[in-house]
Amino acid sequence: ADVRRAAAGQLGLALFANSDFGEAAAIHRETLASCLEALGWEHPDTLASANNLAMALRAEGKASEAEMLYTEAVEVMKRVFGPEDPDTLATASNLGLALLEQEKWAEATTLLEESLASTRRVLGRDSPRALTMAANLAMALEAQKRFPEAVKLHQERLEVLRQVCGRCHEESLMATEETSRALCAFSATDGAIELQKRTLQEVRADLGR
């Protein structure tokens, strides 16, 4: 049974990667039901299956159902692994995204802020998870037209990526674009132009014309 559940879970992930979100959700739903019956909520396989299903549901546009799954999973993970376990924090951040997709701005922002702060404390500001969460929070702030806060977060994230990955790394260049876009939304086009000019000079210096 364990092997069958694992195989079904892998199929669900492959379908998701192929953008077959409905089929992926159906597979993950069956897998979750099997895990719950055989293992209970507190087993890691059950929690992973719940997260996979919630991810597929979000991709289908079913954020409300995903919210319910994430909420249950977060409560269980807090109890079993602790509130500052990295996986607990990642699931809480995913819950924040599900709330954001339903335009539950205040709840989503609070959860994303708390998850980011704890992840930075536990894993460090330059950890991949912290950087991803920072991008998600910045997106939430932009959606609420809280541009000064979003710009600050983008700039902090960009600086970390430049230090960790290098100033011409793909991730750094993508973060530059996101920061520039936020500056433009904040009516700080001069800052955006200056940032893009500096980036172009660095790319030419490092990679050639």
Side-chain angles (χ1 to χ4, degrees), residues 76-97:
V76 173
M77 294 175 81
K78 283 181 177 179
R79 187 170 66 250
V80 175
F81 306 119
E84 294 211 333
D85 174 80
D87 289 337
T88 302
L89 294 170
T91 304
S93 183
N94 288 336
L95 171 56
L97 292 176

Side-chain angles (χ1 to χ4, degrees), residues 178-189:
E178 291 162 358
T179 305
S180 179
R181 187 186 65 238
L183 284 165
C184 288
F186 186 37
S187 299
T189 50

Side-chain angles (χ1 to χ4, degrees), residues 58-179:
R58 281 180 52 214
E60 280 192 287
K62 298 178 179 178
S64 179
E65 189 177 351
E67 177 193 344
M68 290 188 288
L69 265 177
Y70 282 134
T71 299
E72 182 71 27
V74 168
E75 289 307 310
V76 173
M77 294 175 81
K78 283 181 177 179
R79 187 170 66 250
V80 175
F81 306 119
E84 294 211 333
D85 174 80
D87 289 337
T88 302
L89 294 170
T91 304
S93 183
N94 288 336
L95 171 56
L97 292 176
L99 292 166
L100 183 65
E101 287 158 7
Q102 299 172 76
E103 299 185 358
K104 296 181 179 180
W105 307 119
E107 290 178 77
T109 303
T110 297
L111 197 52
L112 290 169
E113 287 174 338
E114 291 174 350
S115 300
L116 173 59
S118 295
T119 298
R120 282 175 166 176
R121 186 166 57 252
V122 173
L123 298 178
R125 297 176 69 86
D126 59 352
S127 69
R129 283 190 180 182
L131 291 168
T132 297
M133 288 181 184
N136 291 338
L137 175 56
M139 177 179 65
L141 293 168
E142 286 185 62
Q144 298 168 76
K145 302 189 184 305
R146 293 167 60 177
F147 297 120
E149 296 164 87
V151 166
K152 183 175 183 292
L153 200 55
H154 278 303
Q155 290 173 331
E156 290 174 356
R157 181 171 177 268
L158 174 57
E159 190 57 35
V160 172
L161 283 168
R162 285 168 60 88
Q163 291 173 2
V164 173
C165 302
R167 62 188 189 178
C168 293
H169 189 275
E170 181 181 0
E171 289 287 333
S172 300
L173 295 175
M174 286 177 62
T176 298
E177 182 180 345
E178 291 162 358
T179 305

